[in-house]
Amino acid sequence: MSRLKFAELLADIFKVSKASIRSSTLDDMDWLARRPRDSSLDVSKAKAELINKPLVIEEALRTLKDELVEGSLPAATNQLKQVATKSRDSP
C-alpha cells in the first residue's frame, strides 16, 4: 500500500477531509536524512508463525479509532482523541 493510499484510508476511517492529502515523490521532500523508496513491511512470516495474526490494515485502523474514542489507549494524543470522537459523532 502506498503512503498516499494509507493516508486516504486513514482519512476515510477517521471521517476527515482528504483535501490536504497530496501525492508527492521522495524527490519533492526536503528531508535531511535519506529515505528508502520502498518502506513496505512484509508480515508473511508473522502470519505464518504467530498464533495472534497481524490485523489487516483496515481492521487495525478501525481498532485504533475505537481505542482512541474509548480512551483505552493511554499513549494517544489529545488531538487524535478529538478527531476520533468527532468522526464517531458525525452522521
Side-chain angles (χ1 to χ4, degrees):
M1 175 179 294
S2 71
R3 291 176 179 105
L4 176 62
K5 292 294 180 195
F6 181 79
E8 291 171 342
L9 177 62
L10 193 61
D12 286 342
I13 289 174
F14 279 82
K15 297 181 182 165
V16 295
S17 173
K18 296 181 195 176
S20 61
I21 300 174
R22 293 182 204 39
S23 180
S24 63
T25 65
L26 284 175
D27 296 332
D28 295 334
M29 307 309 288
D30 190 25
W31 287 324
L32 295 177
R34 291 178 39 207
R35 302 291 196 278
R37 292 214 178 272
D38 180 4
S39 62
S40 59
L41 178 63
D42 180 2
V43 296
S44 58
K45 186 173 182 178
K47 284 181 180 179
E49 296 184 16
L50 295 175
I51 293 170
N52 294 321
K53 310 295 184 204
L55 298 175
V56 176
I57 192 64
E58 292 86 352
E59 186 179 351
L61 290 174
R62 284 189 185 92
T63 299
L64 171 64
K65 180 183 173 189
D66 292 345
E67 289 175 352
L68 288 170
V69 170
E70 292 168 8
S72 61
L73 195 65
T77 65
N78 286 334
Q79 184 177 12
L80 283 174
K81 285 181 185 178
Q82 290 169 355
V83 169
T85 302
K86 181 179 176 185
S87 69
R88 177 198 63 192
D89 295 339
S90 64

